[in-house]
């Protein structure tokens, strides 16, 4: 059984609130019972323009079926700009750790999973978790924001030659300063403190080129961070589970690509032993 709750950010203290009254929210898919479990925080894609339902609840239920608590973050998107999405995801993982006892979460077994632009957000937390920007007056130390693992599905990574321009335009504006572009080109920000990652992409992806995943994996290799990388030869962008459950047309159903979830769960179980 799953207990589903919607956690809405406190509007009185939310720094990113605009006149439209938007605040982020997190849907929780907590498995009932007393057993403590690992958790997966999910960031749907959508080009930093919206958050895709196809990469939200269906993903959470798959992780539930594998024995993990799951959480879906509906984070800030355009017209809100960086750093607000990063502040949203950092606050979400902090909430998981602060409520670990009540929600039966193993606090050092929390993965952040992202799709497309949501993959950029997940990877952003993976490389920027110790950025002083994330600290506040209740500072409990940077470790509270560090994911224990990253799961990156056809992620937006680079703002350079292989960028998904729409995502970067929505996140940083049309003419970001070079320093900001460098900061958010995540292959340039990997360090020895970046958590391990499971990464998958398709060779045929024309929206977010496969080079994004390759560049991030290469950077992890240079810094000695373990990763698992799967490049499927066929399939368009945005496949989600690549099953009938998340497909909007026949082109989004691919049994071979659909193996990514089983492989990811195997990887996560080995990492979280």
């Amino acid at each position: 059984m799953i207990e589903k709750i919607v956690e809405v950010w406190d509007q009185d203290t939310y720094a990113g609130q605009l006149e439209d009254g938007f605040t982020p929210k997190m849907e929780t898919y907590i498995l009932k019972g007393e057993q403590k479990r690992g958790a997966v925080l999910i960031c749907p894609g959508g080009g930093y323009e919206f958050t895709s339902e196809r990469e939200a609840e269906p993903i959470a239920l798959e992780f539930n079926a594998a024995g993990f608590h799951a959480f879906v973050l509906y984070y800030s998107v355009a017209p809100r700009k960086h750093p607000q999405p990063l502040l949203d995801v950092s606050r979400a993982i902090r909430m998981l750790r602060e409520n670990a006892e009540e929600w039966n979460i193993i606090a050092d077994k929390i993965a952040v999973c992202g799709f497309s632009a949501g993959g950029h957000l997940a990877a952003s937390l993976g490389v920027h978790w110790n950025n002083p920007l994330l600290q506040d007056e209740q500072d409990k130390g940077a470790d509270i924001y560090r994911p224990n693992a990253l799961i990156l599905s056809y992620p937006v990574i680079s703002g350079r030659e292989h960028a998904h321009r729409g995502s970067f335009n929505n996140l940083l504006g049309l003419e970001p300063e070079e320093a900001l572009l460098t900061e958010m080109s995540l292959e340039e920000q990997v360090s020895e403190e970046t958590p391990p990652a499971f990464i998958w992409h398709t060779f045929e992806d024309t929206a977010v080129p496969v080079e994004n995943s390759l560049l991030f994996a290469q950077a992890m290799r240079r810094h000695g961070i373990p990763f698992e990388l799967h490049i499927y030869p066929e399939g368009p962008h945005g496949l989600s589970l690549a099953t009938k459950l998340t497909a909007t047309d026949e082109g989004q159903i691919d049994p071979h690509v659909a193996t990514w979830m089983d492989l990811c769960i195997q990887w996560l179980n080995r990492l979280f032993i």
Side-chain angles (χ1 to χ4, degrees):
M1 295 292 291
I2 302 165
E3 184 178 8
K4 183 177 176 182
I5 305 169
V6 178
E7 295 285 340
V8 179
W9 272 218
D10 181 356
Q11 294 197 22
D12 292 332
T13 60
Y14 177 57
Q17 184 179 357
L18 299 183
E19 291 181 0
D20 61 8
F22 173 84
T23 55
K25 68 177 182 179
M26 183 170 66
E27 292 184 344
T28 73
Y29 298 76
I30 298 172
L31 294 166
K32 290 187 176 181
E34 299 302 316
Q35 181 180 352
K36 289 189 176 295
R37 304 173 183 271
V40 181
L41 174 63
I42 300 159
C43 301
Y48 285 114
E49 183 177 358
F50 64 97
T51 45
S52 171
E53 294 293 338
R54 295 177 53 250
E55 297 160 345
E57 182 169 89
I59 307 300
L61 296 179
E62 288 290 324
F63 283 116
N64 280 161
F68 294 93
H69 299 307
F71 303 81
V72 176
L73 176 64
Y74 293 93
Y75 52 88
S76 298
V77 296
R80 303 156 197 90
K81 297 286 191 287
H82 175 73
Q84 197 56 60
L86 181 56
L87 294 174
D88 294 347
V89 72
S90 67
R91 181 167 183 175
I93 196 169
R94 176 174 174 164
M95 290 173 68
L96 266 58
R97 289 208 165 104
E98 290 178 338
N99 290 280
E101 190 66 29
E102 178 183 353
W103 293 346
N104 289 321
I105 297 170
I106 303 174
D108 63 353
K109 295 183 179 180
I110 299 176
V112 179
C113 172
F115 295 78
S116 192
H120 184 269
L121 183 56
S124 295
L125 186 62
V127 300
H128 290 308
W129 60 269
N130 54 359
N131 190 319
L133 173 71
L134 306 186
Q135 307 300 305
D136 62 21
E137 67 278 0
Q138 303 176 25
D139 183 14
K140 297 183 179 181
D143 285 350
I144 199 169
Y145 302 110
R146 185 184 187 274
N148 302 109
L150 302 175
I151 300 167
L152 308 178
S153 302
Y154 40 89
V156 174
I157 294 291
S158 180
R160 306 299 185 183
E161 177 184 357
H162 302 290
H164 181 255
R165 292 297 171 195
S167 293
F168 275 86
N169 289 347
N170 285 329
L171 181 65
L172 305 181
L174 297 179
E175 296 182 357
E177 295 181 359
E178 178 61 25
L180 183 56
L181 190 60
T182 297
E183 178 183 347
M184 300 312 291
S185 293
L186 306 180
E187 77 279 15
E188 301 179 38
Q189 303 301 322
V190 173
S191 73
E192 287 74 12
E193 296 180 323
T194 300
F198 179 95
I199 310 167
W200 73 274
H201 219 118
T202 63
F203 180 82
E204 290 184 341
D205 193 330
T206 57
V208 178
V210 69
E211 282 84 357
N212 282 265
S213 286
L214 295 174
L215 287 167
F216 198 75
Q218 288 170 345
M220 295 187 76
R221 173 60 179 163
R222 285 194 298 273
H223 290 278
I225 307 298
F227 61 87
E228 184 165 331
L229 173 65
H230 295 273
I231 306 298
Y232 294 93
E234 298 177 344
H237 185 69
L239 285 175
S240 186
L241 292 174
T243 65
K244 187 176 181 180
L245 180 65
T246 57
T248 57
D249 59 59
E250 291 296 320
Q252 293 179 336
I253 302 174
D254 190 318
H256 182 47
V257 177
T259 62
W260 80 264
M261 178 56 82
D262 286 340
L263 293 169
C264 175
I265 290 168
Q266 291 175 29
W267 173 83
L268 201 54
N269 281 329
R270 290 184 67 174
L271 185 68
F272 283 178
I273 288 175

